[in-house]
Structure formats: structure tokens, C-alpha cells
Amino acid sequence: QVQLVESGGGSVQAGGSLRLSCQASGYTYTVRRYCMRWFRQAPGKEREGVASITSGGATKYADSVRGRFTISKDNAKNILYLQMNSLNTEDTAIYYCAAAVAGCTYTSNYWGQGTQVTVSS
């Protein structure tokens, strides 16, 4: 059973940076072979996709974060990252990582528990 554990969240002032990590376990090749995604959910809002990375390393971003966030992965360590720069208050949310076995056009099969990111002005 794949498990995903996020870390790296916290409180930061607007304009600051954070790097989120998502450690996969239970299957050595989770990050290498699956589509990995970052989602977020702000209070009172629906969950939204933030970024994705395919098994081959192709990336996609939501318009709201493109140019500020970078998704990456370390296949050897089975870790997914999200580097977040130029943070603003609208980035405040719980951030989740997820893995989609069949690829990035399919629903995610596994989810982490989330990590809180709070950006203050």
C-alpha cells in the first residue's frame, strides 16, 4: 500500500518561499512510475490542482502558480517536491500530494494527509 507523507509547510510572510516535500513509501517506484501531483484546498474553497509531473518528468502548472512554483522529484529517494516562491496570501491552504497510477489524465489513487501553508501580509 502506497503511503504519502507531506512536510515543509508552515507560516511565511508574503514574498517568501517554502519547499514542500512528499515522501512516498510502500512501493519503491511510486514517484518514478506514477503521475505525481500537488493539490491545495483553502478554507471555504474547493480543492484545486497546483502542479503535476509525469513519470517522464513533464510538468504542468495551474495558471495561478506558474512561474512561481516548481514541481520536481527525486526518483532514487522516492520524494516529490514543490518549491514555492513569491508566496502571497492567496496561496494559504492545506497542500496535498497525490499519486495517480494510470497517469496524469486519471484520478489520483493515493493521497497524503496534507501540510498547512499560511502566508501573511
Side-chain angles (χ1 to χ4, degrees):
Q1 180 74 6
V2 172
Q3 292 185 327
L4 303 173
V5 178
E6 303 94 337
S7 61
S11 297
V12 65
Q13 288 192 326
S17 299
L18 284 173
R19 188 176 80 157
L20 305 183
S21 299
C22 173
Q23 177 70 64
S25 61
Y27 177 54
T28 303
Y29 303 108
T30 298
V31 168
R32 183 186 299 274
R33 293 184 176 174
Y34 297 168
C35 169
M36 301 299 298
R37 299 186 177 110
W38 286 100
F39 292 84
R40 67 186 180 185
Q41 187 164 21
K45 295 186 178 181
E46 293 187 354
R47 185 177 63 200
E48 65 169 339
V50 174
S52 65
I53 185 166
T54 67
S55 57
T59 58
K60 286 188 177 180
Y61 297 92
D63 289 343
S64 59
V65 307
R66 187 175 293 112
R68 300 187 298 121
F69 291 11
T70 302
I71 188 171
S72 63
K73 60 179 181 170
D74 186 327
N75 290 334
K77 294 182 179 179
N78 218 8
I79 298 177
L80 177 72
Y81 299 104
L82 185 69
Q83 177 67 43
M84 306 186 295
N85 298 328
S86 301
L87 286 161
N88 57 61
T89 56
E90 294 183 350
D91 296 317
T92 295
I94 299 174
Y95 284 72
Y96 302 89
C97 69
V101 174
C104 286
T105 57
Y106 294 86
T107 302
S108 295
N109 305 92
Y110 304 103
W111 292 83
Q113 82 291 346
T115 186
Q116 176 72 48
V117 172
T118 302
V119 184
S120 59
S121 59

